Amino acid sequence: MRYFLLDRPELIDKFTRWAAQLCMGLTASKAEKLAERLAPWILHHAQAARSTRTLLVVATNWSADSTLDRHAHALLVTAALDPEIGQLTRNATSSWIEKDDAPLLKTLAHVFQSVTPAHPEQMLRRLGDLAGSLDQRVQFDAERKAGVAEAVGAAIDALWGDDGLRPLLRKTLNTWFASDQKGQQQAAASAFMHLALQRDDTGSPVLLSGSEDSIPDW
């Protein structure tokens, strides 16, 4: 990677994609080791090129692999929070959610969840756009749509433990429930079912915890 970055910059893009694809033909342990070695170089290449195209290609391929999907998530989160290309990456995700690739969309839902504490409004808007886009995905069967909606709902569920985010999450869920977009309604329902199973320290549902005045009229 260092050789191509320094001496063959015109080939680094193709070589990086080839090396990332190579991970998918290895045993799980070797694939994970190679992915961990490659990730910093992929990020470095994106920084040098000021481009997210290779990030997207690698993340799409890795998301489809049960061994590498967590590495796709880690790579995109690192890029989205990077001082040099973070804004570029976060902006690019607005077009990535239009991709017709269910594993990638599930990874993106997880990425948006991880980046929300740092950029709450932007990432929750991305989650909403992702859920809403399901309505137009005629090429997705019901199972794939439900899988992506579930990933969005699980992201909201995971973020609920942050007291500072909870008012914004509640507002977001109410907006999705009232939406005309079935994808957002489905994601909201999935999130609500996740939250309904959460319990506080007393064993009471977290959705009903708090003072009497602060409990929302769900």
Side-chain angles (χ1 to χ4, degrees), residues 34-209:
L34 181 56
E36 289 173 358
R37 293 282 298 274
L38 281 174
W41 289 105
I42 295 170
L43 182 65
H44 183 60
H45 169 47
Q47 292 168 335
R50 306 296 298 175
S51 170
T52 60
R53 286 177 299 180
T54 297
L55 278 175
L56 175 59
V57 171
V58 172
T60 300
N61 290 336
W62 285 3
S63 293
D65 188 290
S66 59
T67 299
L68 298 171
D69 55 354
R70 69 183 186 90
H71 294 280
H73 165 260
L75 176 64
L76 293 184
V77 170
T78 302
L81 296 175
D82 183 77
E84 294 185 42
I85 61 168
Q87 186 63 54
L88 182 68
T89 303
R90 295 193 300 274
N91 288 343
T93 59
S94 65
S95 61
W96 293 356
I97 62 178
E98 301 301 326
K99 301 297 181 183
D100 296 326
D101 188 287
L104 174 65
L105 297 181
K106 291 179 182 179
T107 295
L108 287 176
H110 193 193
V111 170
F112 298 154
Q113 169 204 320
S114 299
V115 183
T116 291
H119 303 277
E121 293 188 1
Q122 184 183 30
M123 293 298 101
L124 288 178
R125 186 166 60 250
R126 291 285 187 273
L127 279 171
D129 291 343
L130 174 54
S133 70
L134 293 176
D135 292 1
Q136 285 75 45
R137 299 188 187 282
V138 294
Q139 70 281 6
F140 278 14
D141 56 26
E143 183 178 354
R144 282 190 288 178
K145 286 186 178 182
V148 177
E150 166 69 13
V152 175
I156 297 295
D157 176 58
L159 292 167
W160 194 262
D162 189 326
D163 292 342
L165 288 173
R166 198 167 294 170
L168 184 57
L169 293 172
R170 185 180 295 118
K171 178 181 178 182
T172 298
L173 276 184
N174 285 334
T175 300
W176 292 358
F177 273 125
S179 172
D180 293 332
Q181 297 176 323
K182 292 182 179 179
Q184 288 189 343
Q185 295 173 8
Q186 189 174 10
S190 176
F192 189 85
M193 291 304 295
H194 275 289
L195 295 172
L197 296 175
Q198 288 194 28
R199 297 291 186 268
D200 61 18
D201 294 338
T202 68
S204 300
V206 295
L207 289 179
L208 301 179
S209 62

